[in-house]
Amino acid sequence: MAAQRAIKLERMGALLAALDHPERGLPSILVAGTKGKGSTVAMIAACTQAAGLTTGRYTSPHLINWRERTVINGQPISTTDVVTLAEVVRRAVDPLPDELGPLTTFEVGTALTFLYFARASLDIAVVEVGTGGRFDATNMLDPLASVITPISYDHTPTLGETLSEIAWHKAGVMRTGRPAVSAPQVDEARLVIEREAATLGTHLEEVGHDWWWTPTPGGIRIEGRQAEPLETAVGLLGAHQRDNATAATGVLRALGHAEPRLRISATAIQTGLANVEWPGRLQILGSEPLVVVDGAHNAASADVLRSAIEHNFRFARLHLVLGLSAGKDARGVLHALAPRADTVHLTRSHHERSAEPSELESLARSAAPTARVAIHADVGAALAGALAGAAPDDLIVVTGSLFLVGETLVWWRRSHR
């Protein structure tokens, strides 16, 4: 397993070398973790863009179009640039040694993104790790600062069965002498991150210890041990987004101390956090009935979604529309969300890795014995079924894989023109 992990970095390194190392000298912030990576990336990028910095943002997966992954100042990479750079990458791939194995789609896309960012002369790139961190393709960067969002169980066949093992992978994004910020972690993960930071000589700050937030009438007040308090609204729903906003603020403050040219004003942070947009995460699509989509793809994310539903919405009945990728903790997700549901509509995305709805039926009936459970061929049929049975004061939640969320957004736009 260790050899396989090492060869992944060797393979990515060979590809980047063939492209004249576009990742070198690319100023970046690298964001690892299990939950909240994309939201935190979006917040940091919104703040740096509000400060007038030319900002690149790289996230995965996409919801509707691959170009969403690679963005500069809010604008996705153009189709023309994708085609042009894909040919450059293809010419670099052809001569690579066979013993390195075939490149993955993610590795090729990451190399293309690094090339695009390098040619754009960015002030800062905010990059989401794909899987893990230590051996991920994105970790070929030498980030100026790092963030580790909350860690929970996911990708266990690759990252390990314990939170300690998973945290070791995530902690691999930290760098010697560079700042890092960790979101609140369970003790098992926190101790690993702290140990790795001490070993590396990373300046680690932690939300809940060095940074914290308190609620205000209009949002939150973010405070740090060596920082002026900052009051701000947060444009994304959910108490968990307050932790993400605090981690984003912490890393921006730390980055500004380490790199004065990248110092971000309080006004820019307030503007970015208040106006950040991140589709598919507690996103409200419609009212009467209220329709919300959220990509809660594992048990921990489902727990967060359940809490957010309870604290942010008032409704009579809950209609759950769910589709997951194969290999995910379906039992954990369903036991977090289904007991509150009056109806459960099981479906699947068109992605090849999606789980068959019939495989989820017994778990759904066990988690919600009094709910009506139905199976649908696709999310359009599932959402139509939920809408047909919902009263104006009900809530419909579409969740599971981000592929399903993306297809929901497409269906909704086509159906509500």
Side-chain angles (χ1 to χ4, degrees):
M1 183 66 73
Q4 292 176 346
R5 293 167 178 165
I7 204 167
K8 283 180 64 178
L9 289 184
E10 184 180 352
R11 183 170 63 224
M12 189 66 186
L15 174 58
L16 293 173
L19 294 169
D20 295 326
H21 286 293
E23 83 286 4
R24 291 183 178 175
L26 184 63
S28 62
I29 298 172
L30 196 52
V31 180
T34 307
K35 308 189 300 289
K37 288 184 297 182
S39 299
T40 303
V41 166
M43 288 178 179
I44 296 169
C47 294
T48 56
Q49 190 176 335
L53 299 181
T54 302
T55 300
R57 189 187 76 202
Y58 182 49
T59 56
S60 61
H62 58 274
L63 292 178
I64 299 172
N65 188 300
W66 186 90
R67 295 187 300 112
E68 299 166 23
R69 299 180 179 219
T70 303
V71 172
I72 294 178
N73 285 351
Q75 296 300 312
I77 184 173
S78 70
T79 303
T80 300
D81 282 327
V82 172
V83 172
T84 300
L85 294 176
E87 177 58 24
V88 175
V89 174
R90 186 196 65 78
R91 290 198 299 268
V93 168
D94 287 345
L96 294 183
D98 291 340
E99 56 266 26
L100 292 178
L103 285 150
T104 66
T105 302
F106 182 74
E107 289 166 345
V108 170
T110 300
L112 186 152
T113 297
F114 289 172
L115 194 60
Y116 180 62
F117 285 172
R119 293 184 176 187
S121 300
L122 299 180
D123 293 311
I124 191 72
V126 192
V127 176
E128 177 185 359
V129 167
T131 302
R134 193 173 298 270
F135 300 106
D136 190 75
T138 59
N139 207 31
M140 297 302 296
L141 291 168
D142 185 22
L144 298 173
S146 306
V147 181
I148 302 176
T149 66
I151 293 171
S152 58
Y153 294 99
D154 204 7
H155 299 290
T156 52
T158 304
L159 304 181
E161 299 291 335
T162 69
L163 289 180
S164 295
E165 293 174 297
I166 296 170
W168 180 79
H169 281 274
K170 310 293 186 183
V173 302
M174 296 189 294
R175 295 294 189 270
T176 298
R178 304 275 175 82
V181 174
S182 174
Q185 307 287 353
V186 297
D187 286 345
E188 185 179 348
R190 177 181 58 80
L191 292 171
V192 172
I193 294 169
E194 291 175 348
R195 183 193 68 210
E196 292 293 312
T199 300
L200 285 169
T202 300
H203 177 68
L204 176 66
E205 296 181 349
E206 300 173 70
V207 176
H209 183 263
D210 304 286
W211 291 90
W212 59 93
W213 61 267
T214 52
T216 65
I220 58 174
R221 176 184 173 95
I222 298 173
E223 298 179 77
R225 293 191 181 278
Q226 298 179 332
E228 290 292 321
L230 181 149
E231 292 194 10
T232 183
V234 179
L236 302 181
L237 290 175
H240 60 292
Q241 298 292 6
R242 299 175 179 184
D243 284 336
N244 292 337
T246 305
T249 300
V251 79
L252 288 169
R253 291 299 198 198
L255 179 65
H257 289 305
E259 297 282 340
R261 66 184 180 83
L262 297 176
R263 190 163 287 161
I264 309 298
S265 70
T267 299
I269 293 174
Q270 290 166 322
T271 300
L273 294 180
N275 296 295
V276 61
E277 296 181 354
W278 194 229
R281 284 76 172 179
L282 274 182
Q283 181 180 358
I284 298 172
L285 296 184
S287 59
E288 295 186 347
L290 192 62
V291 180
V292 175
V293 294
D294 185 85
H297 61 280
N298 57 36
S301 296
D303 281 333
V304 170
L305 174 57
R306 179 188 60 201
S307 177
I309 290 170
E310 292 171 350
H311 289 93
N312 288 277
F313 306 114
R314 291 186 177 182
F315 55 93
R317 297 192 304 157
L318 173 63
H319 307 271
L320 182 65
V321 177
L322 177 73
L324 292 167
S325 295
K328 294 294 183 179
D329 181 8
R331 180 183 301 275
V333 171
L334 281 161
H335 277 267
L337 296 172
R340 180 68 173 82
D342 294 273
T343 66
V344 179
H345 299 265
L346 300 173
T347 187
R348 60 171 297 172
S349 73
H350 291 97
H351 194 276
E352 60 186 9
R353 294 207 314 266
S354 63
E356 288 291 342
S358 58
E359 297 173 0
L360 307 176
E361 184 176 8
S362 63
L363 292 174
R365 294 189 185 282
S366 172
T370 63
R372 181 174 66 84
V373 178
I375 292 177
H376 305 271
D378 56 47
V379 72
L383 192 47
L387 286 165
D393 57 351
D394 287 352
L395 170 64
I396 298 172
V397 174
V398 185
T399 190
S401 78
L402 284 173
F403 303 114
L404 188 83
V405 169
E407 291 180 15
T408 300
L409 296 179
V410 172
W411 184 88
W412 189 267
R413 290 172 187 172
R414 288 174 178 170
S415 302
H416 293 77
R417 286 178 177 171

